[in-house]
Amino acid sequence: MFDFKLCQVYFRDHFVPFAEASVSIANVAFLYGMGAFTGIRAHYNAADDQLYLFRPQDHFKRFRNACKLCMFNQFVQNYSSDRFVQVVVDLLKKNQIKQDAYLRVSAFVDEESIGVQWNGYKDSLAIFAFPLGDYIPTTGMKCKVSSWRRVDDNAIPARGKINGAYANTAFAKTEAVLAGYDEALVMDHNGHVVEGSAENFFIVRDGVLITPPVSDNILEGITRSTLLQVAKDAGIPTQERSIDRTELVYADEVILTGTGARVSPVTQVDHYTIGDGKVGPMATQLQKLYSDIVYGKIPQYKDWVTPVY
Ligand code: PMP
């Protein structure tokens, strides 16, 4: 395990020691959560002696759109996909990281002010890496349907992965954990189940892998799109449609996905057992495929991994 606080980080367009990368208490992003972020994983394959970044170009694409939404013009104008990926690669190389790592990439309003607006501010980029195993359990979770609703696209768009929106996530997660559950399932204002606290959400019914559409107030998850593609390639029927709360009870399997969460099966929702209460066959198959893909073991999906060394 590397000590991330001893690492070099990327801050305001330069590599600096972790301890030097900090912002003022009058910083707008600190005061109001006015930043956008993404989280990228790198996986170390010992047999290849290689560290693979998973879909960094797709993270860039989503992150750049969020930066456009937040009017982060410095990032939008100065960072191409190639430059962005090179910075991430350089950061891992500089720190000689050869183990599984998670990179937190943030763009934020980098000014001291109490004015609440997106336009007219300078923005900066910050990236650091830290070691991360399972973010949530991957062997069958107990989830609680949250009494907190997901923020609407017309309030704080989940699609934007905006820092301040994660106060909403924290309410849902806290309620679930304090009630003895591992994770929350969150409904949107229409009463459809849309996500976990920080994961996309799938159910399996009669062999069909079903997930809410991107227009249901969700993050356009990279893991979500990976699973949809991989399932299609494996001949598994998929559907993108809204999911009712009662379908949680009718589902054969429930699965949460994310860069942190990877593929995390749910075996209990509130007081209902999902399927037979064990990790189901679809989750098991997708977990294995996903793991093989991110460690660069499947030639068909090599385009999704970028070698660092
Ligand atoms: N939804 C939310 C709200 C999230 O925070 C995350 C984690 N980034 C996800 C879904 C999963 O997205 P991804 O697969 O791109 O990590």
Side-chain angles (χ1 to χ4, degrees), residues 1 20 42 49 81 99 131 148 154 159 175 196 219 244:
M1 283 272 189
E20 285 177 25
D49 187 24
S81 183
Q99 55 184 277
W148 295 92
N154 292 301
R159 180 180 280 113
E175 179 189 57
L219 180 73
D244 286 333

Side-chain angles (χ1 to χ4, degrees), residues 201-211 236-237 241 243 247-248 250-255 274-275 280-283 286:
F201 158 73
F202 291 81
I203 60 171
V204 180
R205 292 190 67 180
D206 299 324
V208 183
L209 185 66
I210 308 166
T211 197
I236 297 165
R241 64 155 178 85
I243 296 175
E247 292 191 86
L248 293 169
Y250 285 36
D252 303 313
E253 297 184 41
V254 174
I255 302 167
I274 306 301
M282 184 85 82
L286 292 173

Side-chain angles (χ1 to χ4, degrees), residues 62 150 161 166 195 197-200 219 221-223 257-259:
R62 184 179 71 190
R150 170 63 77 234
K161 211 160 169 51
Y166 283 75
E195 283 189 321
S197 73
E199 303 88 22
N200 287 115
L219 180 73
I222 309 275
T223 321
T257 68
T259 299

